[in-house]
Coordinates of all heavy atoms in Angstrom, one line a residue:
G1463 N 2.3 -10.3 1.4 CA 1.1 -9.9 0.8 C 1.3 -8.6 0.0 O 2.4 -8.1 -0.2
Y1464 N 0.1 -8.1 -0.5 CA 0.1 -6.9 -1.3 C -1.2 -6.1 -1.0 O -2.2 -6.7 -0.6 CB 0.3 -7.2 -2.7 CG -0.8 -8.2 -3.3 CD1 -2.0 -7.8 -3.6 CD2 -0.4 -9.5 -3.4 CE1 -3.0 -8.7 -4.1 CE2 -1.4 -10.4 -3.9 CZ -2.6 -10.0 -4.3 OH -3.6 -10.9 -4.7
E1465 N -1.1 -4.8 -1.2 CA -2.2 -3.9 -1.1 C -2.1 -2.9 -2.3 O -1.1 -2.2 -2.4 CB -2.3 -3.2 0.2 CG -3.3 -2.2 0.3 CD -4.7 -2.7 0.3 OE1 -5.0 -3.9 0.6 OE2 -5.7 -1.9 0.0
Y1466 N -3.2 -2.8 -3.1 CA -3.2 -1.9 -4.2 C -4.2 -0.7 -3.7 O -5.3 -1.0 -3.4 CB -3.8 -2.5 -5.4 CG -3.8 -1.6 -6.6 CD1 -2.7 -1.3 -7.3 CD2 -5.0 -1.1 -7.1 CE1 -2.7 -0.5 -8.4 CE2 -5.0 -0.2 -8.2 CZ -3.9 0.0 -8.9 OH -3.9 0.9 -10.0
V1467 N -3.6 0.4 -3.5 CA -4.3 1.6 -3.0 C -4.9 2.4 -4.1 O -4.2 2.9 -5.0 CB -3.4 2.5 -2.1 CG1 -4.2 3.7 -1.6 CG2 -2.8 1.7 -1.0
S1468 N -6.3 2.4 -4.1 CA -7.0 3.1 -5.2 C -8.2 3.9 -4.7 O -8.8 3.5 -3.7 CB -7.4 2.1 -6.3 OG -8.5 1.3 -5.8
A1469 N -8.5 5.0 -5.3 CA -9.7 5.7 -5.0 C -10.9 4.9 -5.2 O -11.9 5.0 -4.5 CB -9.7 7.0 -5.8
E1470 N -10.9 4.1 -6.3 CA -12.0 3.2 -6.6 C -12.4 2.4 -5.4 O -13.6 2.2 -5.1 CB -11.7 2.4 -7.8 CG -12.7 1.3 -8.2 CD -12.2 0.4 -9.3 OE1 -11.1 0.5 -9.8 OE2 -12.9 -0.5 -9.6
A1471 N -11.5 1.8 -4.7 CA -11.7 0.9 -3.6 C -11.9 1.7 -2.3 O -12.2 1.1 -1.3 CB -10.6 -0.1 -3.5
G1472 N -11.6 3.0 -2.3 CA -11.7 3.8 -1.1 C -10.7 3.4 -0.1 O -10.9 3.6 1.1
D1473 N -9.5 3.0 -0.5 CA -8.5 2.5 0.4 C -7.8 3.6 1.2 O -7.3 3.4 2.3 CB -7.3 1.8 -0.4 CG -7.8 0.6 -1.0 OD1 -8.5 -0.2 -0.4 OD2 -7.4 0.3 -2.2
G1474 N -7.9 4.9 0.8 CA -7.2 6.0 1.5 C -7.6 6.2 2.9 O -6.9 6.7 3.7
W1475 N -8.8 5.8 3.3 CA -9.3 6.0 4.7 C -8.7 5.0 5.6 O -8.5 5.3 6.8 CB -10.8 5.9 4.8 CG -11.4 4.6 4.6 CD1 -11.8 4.0 3.4 CD2 -11.7 3.6 5.6 NE1 -12.3 2.8 3.6 CE2 -12.2 2.5 4.9 CE3 -11.5 3.6 6.9 CZ2 -12.6 1.3 5.6 CZ3 -11.9 2.4 7.6 CH2 -12.4 1.3 7.0
D1476 N -8.3 3.8 5.2 CA -7.8 2.8 6.1 C -6.3 2.4 5.8 O -5.6 2.0 6.7 CB -8.6 1.5 6.2 CG -8.7 0.7 4.9 OD1 -8.3 1.3 3.9 OD2 -9.2 -0.4 4.9
V1477 N -5.9 2.7 4.6 CA -4.4 2.5 4.3 C -3.8 3.8 4.0 O -3.6 4.2 2.9 CB -4.3 1.5 3.1 CG1 -2.8 1.2 2.8 CG2 -5.1 0.2 3.3
D1478 N -3.6 4.5 5.1 CA -3.0 5.9 5.0 C -1.5 5.9 5.2 O -0.9 4.8 5.3 CB -3.7 6.8 6.0 CG -3.5 6.4 7.5 OD1 -2.7 5.5 7.8 OD2 -4.3 6.9 8.4
D1479 N -0.9 7.0 5.3 CA 0.5 7.1 5.4 C 1.1 6.4 6.7 O 2.1 5.8 6.7 CB 1.0 8.6 5.4 CG 0.8 9.2 4.1 OD1 0.7 8.5 3.0 OD2 0.8 10.5 4.0
D1480 N 0.3 6.5 7.8 CA 0.7 5.8 9.0 C 0.7 4.3 8.9 O 1.7 3.6 9.3 CB -0.2 6.2 10.2 CG -0.1 7.7 10.6 OD1 1.0 8.3 10.3 OD2 -1.0 8.2 11.2
V1481 N -0.3 3.8 8.2 CA -0.3 2.3 8.0 C 0.8 1.9 7.1 O 1.5 0.9 7.3 CB -1.7 1.9 7.4 CG1 -1.7 0.5 6.9 CG2 -2.8 2.1 8.5
I1482 N 1.0 2.6 6.0 CA 2.1 2.3 5.1 C 3.4 2.3 5.8 O 4.3 1.4 5.6 CB 2.0 3.2 3.9 CG1 0.7 3.0 3.1 CG2 3.3 3.1 3.0 CD1 0.4 4.0 2.0
A1483 N 3.7 3.3 6.6 CA 4.9 3.4 7.4 C 5.1 2.3 8.3 O 6.2 1.7 8.5 CB 5.0 4.7 8.1
A1484 N 4.0 1.9 9.0 CA 4.0 0.8 10.0 C 4.3 -0.5 9.2 O 5.1 -1.3 9.7 CB 2.7 0.7 10.7
L1485 N 3.7 -0.7 8.1 CA 4.0 -2.0 7.3 C 5.5 -2.0 6.8 O 6.1 -3.0 6.9 CB 3.1 -2.1 6.1 CG 1.6 -2.3 6.5 CD1 0.7 -2.2 5.2 CD2 1.4 -3.7 7.1
A1486 N 6.0 -0.8 6.4 CA 7.4 -0.8 6.0 C 8.3 -1.1 7.2 O 9.3 -1.9 7.0 CB 7.7 0.6 5.4
E1487 N 8.1 -0.6 8.3 CA 8.9 -0.9 9.5 C 8.8 -2.4 9.9 O 9.8 -3.0 10.2 CB 8.5 -0.1 10.7 CG 8.9 1.4 10.6 CD 10.4 1.5 10.5 OE1 11.1 0.9 11.3 OE2 10.9 2.3 9.6
R1488 N 7.7 -2.9 9.8 CA 7.5 -4.4 10.1 C 8.2 -5.2 9.0 O 8.7 -6.3 9.3 CB 6.0 -4.7 10.2 CG 5.4 -4.1 11.4 CD 4.0 -4.3 11.5 NE 3.5 -3.4 12.6 CZ 2.2 -3.3 13.0 NH1 1.3 -4.1 12.5 NH2 1.9 -2.5 14.0
G1489 N 8.2 -4.7 7.8 CA 9.0 -5.4 6.7 C 10.5 -5.4 7.0 O 11.1 -6.4 6.9
K1490 N 11.0 -4.3 7.5 CA 12.4 -4.2 7.8 C 12.8 -5.1 8.9 O 13.9 -5.7 9.0 CB 12.8 -2.8 8.2 CG 12.8 -1.8 7.0 CD 13.1 -0.4 7.5 CE 12.9 0.6 6.3 NZ 13.1 2.0 6.8
A1491 N 11.8 -5.3 9.9 CA 12.1 -6.2 11.0 C 11.8 -7.6 10.7 O 12.1 -8.5 11.5 CB 11.2 -5.8 12.2
G1492 N 11.3 -7.9 9.5 CA 11.0 -9.3 9.1 C 9.7 -9.9 9.6 O 9.5 -11.1 9.4
A1493 N 8.9 -9.0 10.2 CA 7.6 -9.5 10.8 C 6.6 -9.8 9.7 O 5.8 -10.8 9.8 CB 7.1 -8.5 11.8
V1494 N 6.5 -9.0 8.7 CA 5.5 -9.2 7.6 C 6.0 -8.3 6.5 O 6.6 -7.3 6.6 CB 4.1 -8.7 8.1 CG1 4.0 -7.2 8.3 CG2 3.0 -9.1 7.0
H1495 N 5.8 -8.8 5.3 CA 6.3 -8.2 4.0 C 5.1 -7.9 3.1 O 4.5 -8.8 2.6 CB 7.2 -9.1 3.3 CG 8.4 -9.5 4.2 ND1 9.5 -8.7 4.4 CD2 8.5 -10.6 4.9 CE1 10.3 -9.3 5.3 NE2 9.7 -10.5 5.6
V1496 N 4.7 -6.6 3.0 CA 3.5 -6.2 2.2 C 4.0 -5.2 1.2 O 4.5 -4.1 1.5 CB 2.4 -5.6 3.1 CG1 1.2 -5.2 2.3 CG2 2.0 -6.6 4.2
L1497 N 3.7 -5.5 0.0 CA 3.9 -4.5 -1.1 C 2.7 -3.6 -1.2 O 1.6 -4.1 -1.4 CB 4.1 -5.3 -2.5 CG 4.1 -4.4 -3.7 CD1 5.3 -3.4 -3.7 CD2 4.1 -5.2 -5.0
V1498 N 2.9 -2.4 -0.9 CA 1.8 -1.4 -1.0 C 2.1 -0.6 -2.3 O 3.2 0.1 -2.4 CB 1.8 -0.5 0.2 CG1 0.7 0.6 0.1 CG2 1.6 -1.3 1.5
V1499 N 1.1 -0.6 -3.2 CA 1.3 0.1 -4.5 C 0.1 1.1 -4.6 O -1.1 0.7 -4.5 CB 1.2 -0.9 -5.6 CG1 1.4 -0.2 -7.0 CG2 2.3 -2.0 -5.5
D1500 N 0.4 2.3 -4.8 CA -0.6 3.4 -5.0 C -0.8 3.5 -6.5 O 0.1 3.4 -7.3 CB 0.0 4.7 -4.5 CG -1.1 5.8 -4.5 OD1 -1.5 6.2 -5.7 OD2 -1.6 6.2 -3.5
E1501 N -2.1 3.6 -6.8 CA -2.5 3.6 -8.2 C -1.8 4.7 -9.0 O -1.6 4.6 -10.2 CB -4.0 3.7 -8.4 CG -4.6 5.1 -7.9 CD -6.1 5.2 -8.0 OE1 -6.7 4.5 -8.8 OE2 -6.6 5.9 -7.2
H1502 N -1.4 5.8 -8.4 CA -0.8 6.9 -9.0 C 0.6 6.6 -9.4 O 1.2 7.3 -10.3 CB -0.9 8.1 -8.2 CG -2.3 8.6 -7.8 ND1 -3.2 8.9 -8.8 CD2 -2.9 8.6 -6.7 CE1 -4.3 9.2 -8.2 NE2 -4.2 9.0 -6.9
D1503 N 1.2 5.6 -8.8 CA 2.6 5.2 -9.1 C 2.8 4.2 -10.2 O 3.9 3.9 -10.6 CB 3.3 4.7 -7.8 CG 3.4 5.8 -6.7 OD1 3.4 7.0 -7.1 OD2 3.3 5.5 -5.5
V1504 N 1.7 3.5 -10.5 CA 1.7 2.5 -11.6 C 0.6 2.7 -12.6 O -0.5 2.2 -12.5 CB 1.6 1.1 -10.9 CG1 2.9 0.7 -10.2 CG2 0.4 0.9 -10.0
P1505 N 0.9 3.5 -13.6 CA -0.1 3.9 -14.6 C -0.6 2.8 -15.5 O -1.6 2.8 -16.1 CB 0.5 5.0 -15.4 CG 2.0 4.8 -15.2 CD 2.2 4.2 -13.9
D1506 N 0.2 1.7 -15.6 CA -0.1 0.6 -16.5 C 0.5 -0.7 -15.9 O 1.2 -0.8 -14.9 CB 0.4 0.9 -17.9 CG 1.9 1.2 -17.9 OD1 2.7 0.6 -17.1 OD2 2.3 2.0 -18.8
A1507 N 0.2 -1.8 -16.7 CA 0.6 -3.2 -16.2 C 2.1 -3.3 -16.2 O 2.6 -3.9 -15.3 CB 0.0 -4.2 -17.2
A1508 N 2.8 -2.7 -17.1 CA 4.3 -2.7 -17.1 C 4.9 -2.1 -15.8 O 5.8 -2.6 -15.2 CB 4.8 -2.1 -18.4
A1509 N 4.3 -1.0 -15.4 CA 4.8 -0.3 -14.2 C 4.5 -1.1 -13.0 O 5.3 -1.2 -12.1 CB 4.2 1.1 -14.1

């Protein structure tokens, strides 16, 4: 799956650094694979 973290959606309160780290660890273990993208890291469609 995927999660786009944006201020507009108010994601910062539930998709914080701890959640992102937990998802990354679970991805390494092969349990679940979630692309987490912060709006600040992708300024446009190409990014």
Side-chain angles (χ1 to χ4, degrees):
Y1464 55 82
E1465 175 65 21
Y1466 184 76
V1467 179
S1468 71
E1470 174 188 357
D1473 294 319
W1475 70 271
D1476 63 347
V1477 184
D1478 59 13
D1479 290 340
D1480 291 337
V1481 168
I1482 293 168
L1485 291 171
E1487 284 301 312
R1488 292 173 191 184
K1490 288 177 188 174
V1494 65
H1495 306 278
V1496 179
L1497 172 61
V1498 179
V1499 182
D1500 188 290
E1501 67 183 333
H1502 300 297
D1503 297 329
V1504 290
D1506 55 33

